[in-house]
């Protein structure tokens, strides 16, 4: 096996990984690896924008309050307060790196989304993610201390046990090079996991195909503490029909006045919530889900009649163009929409500096669970969280590299997969593609927007079999498809495990058998790690 090394290894080239790389390079040499092409990330598809207090009629207290209300009691107050406080400075970092946000008259133009009591969404039209990703990639490519490799797929994390203290440290990652099919043992003093979310676990998702939860699964196998994976956010408005990756119709469209309607034209959210179509995402997604089940319709309609043609053209050029490609003129016609899996509020538990429970391993962005989102993420707080935590983590590079240098380690051979393999059913002939499809259907049907004890139980039972089959195909042939399948099954199992541990309904987790909040028993995170899940 080939070996390689750098001071710092960053896994993932979305907003979290690239921001961290740019900051960490002030302290050390940084190598970024990404499993596909460099811009392939959820970041690249972000539409609405990044939430930060940037106007005089807004305040830090209001942003904190809105975040806490959305989070349904589970946000960590100090994490939210510091996130919001540091937000404006991190938006300015992005501008300094070359991101061109939409402005008018010298001021940033601020959009509005559900749950925000003020206009505070900094955006670049409705192509905010593409603008951010492009600028960060450019800045990284010009930086003398950062190198970036595409088509390098992290398979598992490497760990060392210190000879003297027995402490286990993360010391790198095992990477698969797609071009040659060979494995590389990549050693580093600090590893930043920035691998994004697991949206592809669901049949319908706004996430691109890279979103297979690899980092969550790798961290779990390495023994890290995880939390809150049951809180899967379903975005209410994905364009119908939703193909492999559903095209998102940004919440900012409802922020500008668009209204959700039944197919017969009635206002869908009237009488359901005081904020109508701009009610919290979980409420809107459940209302659409119920409407589709009761009516038998395939979609509901998003009516943009209240937004002027010129505002649509100026503010939503990406959505206008994509819908036009599909034969819908959104200036004159309503958009057919359905909910789709969008974001996971849970992930690898970190402290305020992005440190996980494994020394040497940091996590930032959607892979992480920092405590800021609680049971439901406020719109556009995800990009914000990624830049704030990446910035903070970089301040610990020197300290972490000193610790790594002082560790005289013995490599721990990772045998998780081999052990699991010995228990799997032999001779299953299904291929990775059909298993992935089966998994996505299973999660959509049994662990989706509305859950029940019976459905979650059925999902858990089938996942045991899928796990064995996924490991079998992974061991027969290690490639992108089988690595991702193994991880998707791992993360799906964790989502279902967490959902079965929470005997209440809160935020994004709704179980018809426990339809109420139970603050006495469940006003806490759902914590899992290998051995207790
Ligand atoms: P990503 O941007 O997903 O990047 C992950 C990176 O890791 C990718 O480069 C991927 O290829 C790489 N990777 C993954 N696994 C491996 C592996 N095993 N080995 C090597 N590389 C790997 N949030 C907002 O705040 N505002 C918005 O307006 C907004 N709009 C959104 C619109 C859409 C359509 C979607 C899908 C999400 C949106 N979100 C939004 C959520 C937000 O975009 C994401 O949560 C955020 O971009 C995640 O950034 P990240 O850096 O953590 O992960
Ligand atoms: C959107 O534009 O609706 C997505 C915003 C988000 O997920 O934060």
């Amino acid at each position: 096996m080939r070996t390689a090394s750098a001071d710092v290894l960053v896994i993932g080239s979305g907003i979290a990984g690239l921001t961290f790389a740019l900051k960490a390079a002030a302290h050390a040499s940084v190598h970024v690896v990404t499993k596909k092409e460099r811009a392939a990330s959820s970041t690249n598809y972000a539409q609405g924008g990044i939430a930060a207090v940037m106007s005089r009629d807004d305040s830090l207290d209001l942003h904190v309050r809105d975040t806490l209300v959305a989070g349904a009691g589970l946000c960590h107050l100090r994490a939210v307060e510091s996130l919001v406080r540091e937000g404006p400075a991190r938006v300015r970092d992005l501008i300094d790196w070359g991101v061109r946000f939409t402005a008018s008259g010298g001021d940033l133009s601020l959009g509005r989304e559900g749950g925000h009591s003020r206009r505070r969404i900094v955006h670049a039209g409705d192509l905010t993610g593409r603008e951010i990703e492009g600028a960060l990639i450019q800045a990284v490519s010009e930086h003398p201390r950062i190198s970036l490799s595409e088509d390098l797929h992290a398979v598992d994390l490497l760990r060392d046990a210190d000879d003297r203290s027995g402490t286990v440290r993360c010391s790198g990652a095992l990477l698969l090079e797609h071009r040659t099919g060979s494995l590389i043992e990549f050693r580093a003093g600090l590893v930043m996991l920035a691998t994004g979310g697991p949206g592809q676990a669901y049949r319908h998702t706004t996430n691109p195909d890279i979103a297979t939860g690899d980092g969550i699964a790798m961290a779990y196998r390495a023994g890290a503490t995880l939390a809150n994976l049951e809180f899967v956010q379903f975005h209410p408005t994905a364009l119908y029909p939703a193909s492999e990756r559903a095209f998102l119709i940004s919440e900012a469209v409802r922020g500008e006045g668009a209204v959700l309607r039944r197919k017969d034209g009635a206002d869908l959210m009237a009488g359901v919530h005081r904020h109508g179509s701009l009610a919290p995402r979980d409420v809107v997604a459940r209302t659409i889900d119920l409407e589709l089940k009761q009516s038998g319709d395939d979609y509901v309609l998003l009516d943009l009649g209240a937004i002027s043609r010129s505002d649509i053209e100026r503010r939503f050029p990406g959505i206008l163009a994509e819908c036009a490609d599909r034969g819908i003129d959104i200036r004159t016609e309503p958009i057919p929409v359905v909910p789709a899996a969008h974001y996971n509020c849970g992930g690898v538990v970190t402290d305020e500096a992005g440190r996980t429970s494994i020394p040497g391993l940091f996590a930032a962005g959607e892979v992480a669970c920092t405590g800021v989102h609680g049971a439901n993420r406020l719109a556009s707080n995800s990009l914000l969280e990624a830049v704030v935590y990446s910035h903070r983590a970089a301040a610990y590079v020197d300290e972490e590299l000193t610790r790594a240098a002082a560790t005289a380690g013995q490599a721990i051979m990772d045998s998780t997969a081999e052990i699991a393999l010995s228990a799997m059913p032999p001779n299953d002939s299904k291929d990775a593609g059909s298993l992935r499809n089966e998994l996505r259907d299973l999660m959509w049907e049994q662990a989706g927007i509305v859950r029940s004890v019976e459905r979650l139980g059925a999902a858990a039972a089938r996942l045991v079999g899928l796990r064995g089959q996924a490991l079998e195909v992974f061991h027969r042939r290690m490639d992108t498809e089988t690595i991702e399948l193994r991880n998707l099954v791992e993360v799906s199992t964790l989502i279902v495990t967490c959902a079965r541990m929470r005997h209440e309904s809160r935020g994004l987790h709704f179980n018809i058998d426990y339809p109420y909040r139970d603050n006495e028993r469940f006003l806490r995170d759902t914590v899992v790690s290998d051995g207790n899940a």
Side-chain angles (χ1 to χ4, degrees):
M1 192 181 322
R2 276 161 56 205
T3 56
S5 65
D7 295 336
V8 172
L9 171 66
V10 179
I11 308 176
S13 58
I15 188 169
L18 297 177
T19 304
F20 177 74
L22 285 164
K23 298 263 173 174
H27 308 266
S29 73
V30 180
H31 193 77
V32 182
V33 296
T34 193
K35 65 180 173 178
K36 295 206 168 146
E37 177 266 319
R38 61 194 64 198
S41 59
S42 287
T43 300
N44 204 37
Y45 294 95
Q47 293 186 356
I50 175 165
V53 174
M54 306 297 285
S55 77
R56 270 187 293 279
D57 84 323
D58 199 358
S59 73
L60 300 179
D61 285 347
L62 284 175
H63 191 180
V64 168
R65 195 194 65 188
D66 294 344
T67 302
L68 297 178
V69 169
L74 289 197
C75 297
H76 299 191
L77 179 61
R78 282 180 50 197
V80 174
E81 285 173 342
S82 58
L83 173 92
V84 165
R85 195 169 53 241
E86 293 168 32
R90 301 291 75 81
V91 168
R92 283 190 285 274
D93 283 347
L94 290 171
I95 294 170
D96 290 344
W97 283 318
V99 178
R100 290 157 305 170
F101 291 116
T102 304
S104 72
D107 291 328
L108 289 171
S109 154
L110 301 175
R112 181 162 201 171
E113 291 181 20
H116 289 276
S117 55
R118 291 287 185 278
R119 283 190 171 270
R120 65 168 73 99
I121 316 298
V122 181
H123 58 274
D126 60 356
L127 298 167
T128 310
R130 194 198 292 180
E131 176 62 26
I132 292 175
E133 184 73 16
L136 293 179
I137 285 174
Q138 183 63 28
V140 159
S141 68
E142 288 167 2
H143 202 292
R145 295 182 88 188
I146 307 175
S147 48
L148 187 153
S149 303
E150 296 177 330
D151 296 322
L152 274 189
H153 201 144
V155 183
D156 264 314
L157 298 168
L158 299 171
R159 293 169 303 155
D160 285 351
D162 185 65
D163 291 339
R164 292 177 296 265
S165 64
T167 316
V168 173
R169 276 190 70 81
C170 179
S171 57
L174 191 65
L175 308 175
L176 177 73
E177 187 176 54
H178 291 314
R179 191 173 46 82
T180 57
S182 55
L183 286 169
I184 302 171
E185 191 182 297
F186 199 109
R187 294 279 168 187
L190 184 162
V191 176
M192 168 55 85
L193 260 190
T195 45
Q200 285 285 327
Y202 285 88
R203 162 57 52 214
H204 303 295
T205 178
T206 61
N207 290 193
D209 61 4
I210 55 92
T212 51
D214 294 4
I216 296 170
M218 286 190 285
Y220 179 71
R221 287 194 291 269
T225 303
L226 274 53
N228 290 355
L229 285 149
E230 70 272 36
F231 296 117
V232 179
Q233 184 168 71
F234 292 85
H235 198 293
T237 56
L239 179 60
Y240 174 86
S243 50
E244 273 302 283
R245 184 186 77 78
F247 180 75
L248 181 72
I249 307 296
S250 175
E251 193 159 296
V253 177
R254 280 174 284 134
E256 296 305 325
V259 173
L260 282 162
R261 298 193 184 281
R262 295 198 184 97
K263 266 174 133 180
D264 65 10
D267 183 336
L268 180 70
M269 296 302 296
V272 177
H273 194 278
R274 69 196 164 93
H275 293 310
S277 291
L278 215 50
R281 272 183 202 175
D282 56 322
V283 178
V284 183
R286 277 198 296 277
T287 307
I288 298 177
D289 185 67
L290 183 65
E291 166 65 16
L292 298 183
K293 282 179 180 144
Q294 284 178 344
S295 66
D297 290 337
D298 292 329
Y299 55 83
V300 295
L301 293 167
L302 185 62
D303 174 5
L304 279 66
I307 317 176
S308 72
R309 278 168 163 254
S310 58
D311 280 353
I312 291 174
E313 286 162 7
R314 183 184 47 79
R315 179 71 175 86
F316 304 114
I319 296 170
L320 180 69
E322 179 72 27
C323 290
D325 276 355
R326 311 229 194 152
I328 305 162
D329 183 347
I330 66 170
R331 293 166 298 193
T332 54
E333 295 169 88
I335 309 175
V337 291
V338 286
H342 183 63
Y343 184 85
N344 198 306
C345 295
V348 185
V349 171
T350 76
D351 66 7
E352 72 290 346
R355 288 177 289 219
T356 72
S357 60
I358 302 179
L361 180 67
F362 286 60
E366 194 169 336
V367 68
C369 182
T370 62
V372 302
H373 303 312
N376 189 9
R377 174 179 66 95
L378 185 67
S380 290
N381 266 357
S382 169
L383 296 175
L384 177 66
E385 180 199 39
V387 285
V388 166
Y389 279 78
S390 292
H391 168 85
R392 284 198 212 141
Y396 291 83
V397 168
D398 291 331
E399 183 181 310
E400 206 57 52
L401 293 182
T402 307
R403 283 215 185 99
T407 307
Q410 293 267 0
I412 299 174
M413 294 316 291
D414 212 318
S415 56
T416 328
E418 278 78 3
I419 293 163
L421 186 68
S422 61
M424 87 196 175
N427 296 329
D428 196 288
S429 59
K430 279 195 178 168
D431 65 18
S434 60
L435 290 171
R436 183 165 172 157
N437 280 333
E438 181 181 343
L439 174 77
R440 297 180 69 189
D441 286 340
L442 179 78
M443 291 300 286
W444 185 258
E445 299 295 334
Q446 315 284 29
I449 299 171
V450 175
R451 298 161 178 178
S452 72
V453 169
E454 193 185 338
R455 281 185 224 150
L456 290 172
R462 180 63 194 115
L463 280 163
V464 173
L466 277 171
R467 190 159 195 272
Q469 292 171 301
L471 283 173
E472 188 192 2
V473 293
F474 172 72
H475 280 267
R476 269 206 310 256
R477 191 190 73 233
M478 197 192 291
D479 61 15
T480 295
E481 240 192 335
T482 61
I483 295 169
E484 290 184 346
L485 175 67
R486 176 190 185 219
N487 292 331
L488 280 168
V489 172
E490 191 91 82
V491 177
S492 298
T493 303
L494 290 167
I495 292 172
V496 170
T497 301
C498 289
R500 294 180 85 199
M501 287 164 74
R502 185 169 286 283
H503 295 178
E504 64 160 358
S505 290
R506 178 187 299 273
L508 300 163
H509 172 71
F510 187 79
N511 185 328
I512 51 173
D513 295 310
Y514 303 108
Y516 304 109
R517 253 186 226 186
D518 180 347
N519 280 341
E520 268 183 34
R521 293 167 66 215
F522 291 104
L523 192 60
R524 56 180 163 79
D525 294 330
T526 310
V527 179
V528 285
S529 62
D530 200 6
N532 83 349

